[in-house]
Amino acid sequence: MFKRDWDRRTCAKRGHITYAPTEPELASRLHAATAVGDAWRCLRCGDFSLGAPHGSGPAANAPLVPRGKALRDLFILRFLAVERVLRGVIIILMAWGVWKFSNSQEAVQRVFEEDLTVFKPVTDHFHWDLDHAPIVETIRKTFGYQKKTLLIVAGAMIAYALIEIVEAVGLWLGRRWAEYLTVVATAAFLPLEGYELHEHISAVKICTLLLNIAAVLWIMLSKRLFGLRGGVVAFEAERHLASLLEVEQAAGAVPAPGHGHGHGHGAHARS
């Protein structure tokens, strides 16, 4: 069964990340001298890469490079980030529409009623009561809202959209505070989404509700939020355990390649 190699896939797009630790024994396991120059083991994919290391210093100061499961999780978080940006933009456009409507309710109502009469002969032919259709009744109810109420609604929509966009930025950058914000904000709106689904079932509403429930559960469990599965201590320990440099440090000597390898080829770290 084919298994996606997230580490090499990312290195193929962004390049390798190498580091030269000052500890001689550890440096010797991450370095290989080749006929065409020095090569250093990539901290993400484990392949040897020709050229000078991107950084150097004590092993404790090595960059913590997402790899394996952490890299896959980051991809999922960024998918959620894109979804939230799109949702935020749509809500902002809807808020703008509500604001525009609040400034011209009477004119919009007049145009709506005039256009509605155009469709009546067609709907009458099919014996459909257009005047009492649910969507028409809902639109007519909005004409009765006061301007102040519509402005409050528009303001609330803008605030919600900004929360979504802030969530998106934090999730894209992999920030832990954004994961907490996403769980709390998303869970807070689940009852409302359930109520809307109860009032009117649609495929879009069902998919949105299921996606939000899955996102809340996945983030809480995989990121060990609210003390779940050991909390932040276990989460940080898992991240450090995934570092290739620390795996190399704990695993002992790894045979160096007999000859040089370029990007995308070479020995692999075993974790």
Side-chain angles (χ1 to χ4, degrees), residues 3 25-27 33 38 53 72 78 103 127 149 161 186 205 246 255 262-263 268:
K3 184 177 180 180
E25 182 182 354
L26 182 56
D38 291 336
R72 183 202 63 194
R78 288 185 170 179
N103 292 323
H127 306 288
T149 302
T186 304
K205 290 182 179 180
E246 294 191 9
H263 294 276
H268 308 297

Coordinates of all heavy atoms in Angstrom, one line a residue, residues 3 25-27 33 38 53 72 78 103 127 149 161 186 205 246 255 262-263 268:
K3 N 2.4 4.7 0.7 CA 2.3 5.6 1.9 C 3.1 6.9 1.5 O 4.2 6.9 1.1 CB 3.0 5.0 3.1 CG 2.9 5.8 4.3 CD 3.5 5.1 5.5 CE 3.5 5.9 6.8 NZ 4.1 5.2 7.9
E25 N 31.2 13.8 18.3 CA 30.6 12.5 18.0 C 29.3 12.6 17.2 O 29.1 11.9 16.2 CB 30.4 11.7 19.3 CG 29.9 10.3 19.0 CD 29.7 9.5 20.3 OE1 30.0 10.1 21.4 OE2 29.1 8.4 20.2
L26 N 28.5 13.5 17.6 CA 27.2 13.7 16.9 C 27.4 14.3 15.5 O 26.7 13.8 14.6 CB 26.3 14.6 17.8 CG 24.9 14.8 17.2 CD1 24.1 13.5 17.0 CD2 24.1 15.7 18.2
A27 N 28.3 15.2 15.4 CA 28.6 15.8 14.1 C 29.1 14.8 13.1 O 28.8 14.8 11.9 CB 29.6 16.9 14.3
A33 N 32.1 13.1 4.3 CA 33.0 13.7 3.3 C 32.9 12.9 2.0 O 33.0 11.7 2.0 CB 34.4 13.7 3.8
D38 N 31.6 18.3 1.2 CA 31.0 17.8 2.4 C 29.5 17.7 2.2 O 28.8 18.4 1.4 CB 31.2 18.8 3.5 CG 32.6 18.8 4.0 OD1 33.3 17.8 3.8 OD2 33.1 19.8 4.6
P53 N 26.4 23.4 6.0 CA 25.2 23.3 6.8 C 24.5 24.7 6.9 O 25.1 25.7 6.8 CB 25.6 22.8 8.1 CG 27.1 23.3 8.2 CD 27.6 23.2 6.8
R72 N 2.6 16.0 8.8 CA 1.3 15.7 8.3 C 0.2 16.5 9.0 O -0.7 17.1 8.4 CB 1.0 14.2 8.5 CG -0.3 13.8 7.9 CD -0.7 12.5 8.6 NE -1.0 12.7 10.0 CZ -1.1 11.7 10.9 NH1 -0.9 10.4 10.5 NH2 -1.3 11.9 12.1
R78 N -3.2 23.6 8.1 CA -3.2 24.6 7.0 C -4.4 24.4 6.1 O -4.9 25.4 5.6 CB -1.9 24.5 6.2 CG -0.7 25.0 7.1 CD 0.6 25.1 6.3 NE 1.6 25.9 7.1 CZ 2.8 26.1 6.8 NH1 3.3 25.6 5.6 NH2 3.7 26.8 7.6
N103 N -29.2 50.5 4.4 CA -29.3 51.9 4.0 C -30.3 52.1 2.8 O -30.5 53.2 2.4 CB -27.9 52.3 3.5 CG -26.9 52.4 4.6 OD1 -27.2 52.9 5.7 ND2 -25.6 52.1 4.3
H127 N -48.9 25.5 -10.0 CA -49.6 25.4 -8.7 C -48.8 25.6 -7.5 O -48.9 24.9 -6.5 CB -50.5 24.1 -8.7 CG -51.3 23.9 -9.9 ND1 -52.5 24.6 -10.1 CD2 -51.2 23.0 -10.9 CE1 -53.0 24.2 -11.2 NE2 -52.3 23.3 -11.7
T149 N -31.0 47.3 14.1 CA -30.8 45.8 14.2 C -29.9 45.3 13.1 O -29.0 44.4 13.4 CB -32.2 45.1 14.2 OG1 -33.0 45.6 15.2 CG2 -32.0 43.6 14.4
A161 N -16.1 37.1 11.5 CA -15.1 36.9 10.4 C -13.7 37.2 10.8 O -12.8 36.5 10.4 CB -15.5 37.9 9.2
T186 N -15.1 27.2 17.5 CA -15.9 26.3 16.7 C -16.9 25.5 17.5 O -18.1 25.4 17.1 CB -15.0 25.2 16.0 OG1 -14.0 25.9 15.3 CG2 -15.7 24.3 15.1
K205 N -25.0 22.3 4.9 CA -25.0 22.4 6.4 C -24.5 21.2 7.1 O -23.8 21.2 8.1 CB -26.4 22.8 6.8 CG -26.9 24.2 6.5 CD -28.3 24.5 7.0 CE -28.7 25.9 6.7 NZ -30.1 26.2 7.2
E246 N 17.9 14.5 17.6 CA 17.8 13.8 18.9 C 17.7 12.3 18.7 O 18.2 11.5 19.5 CB 16.6 14.3 19.7 CG 16.8 15.8 20.1 CD 15.7 16.2 21.1 OE1 15.0 15.3 21.6 OE2 15.7 17.4 21.4
P255 N 25.9 4.2 10.1 CA 26.9 4.0 9.1 C 26.8 5.2 8.0 O 25.7 5.5 7.6 CB 26.6 2.7 8.4 CG 25.8 1.9 9.5 CD 25.0 3.0 10.2
G262 N 23.6 13.5 -3.7 CA 23.0 14.8 -3.9 C 21.7 14.9 -3.2 O 21.3 14.0 -2.4
H263 N 20.9 15.9 -3.5 CA 19.6 16.1 -2.9 C 18.7 14.9 -3.3 O 18.6 14.5 -4.5 CB 19.0 17.4 -3.4 CG 19.7 18.6 -2.9 ND1 19.5 19.1 -1.7 CD2 20.7 19.3 -3.5 CE1 20.3 20.2 -1.5 NE2 21.1 20.3 -2.6
H268 N 19.0 7.0 5.2 CA 17.8 7.5 5.8 C 17.9 7.3 7.3 O 18.5 6.2 7.8 CB 16.6 6.7 5.3 CG 16.5 6.7 3.8 ND1 16.3 7.8 3.1 CD2 16.6 5.7 2.9 CE1 16.3 7.5 1.8 NE2 16.4 6.2 1.7

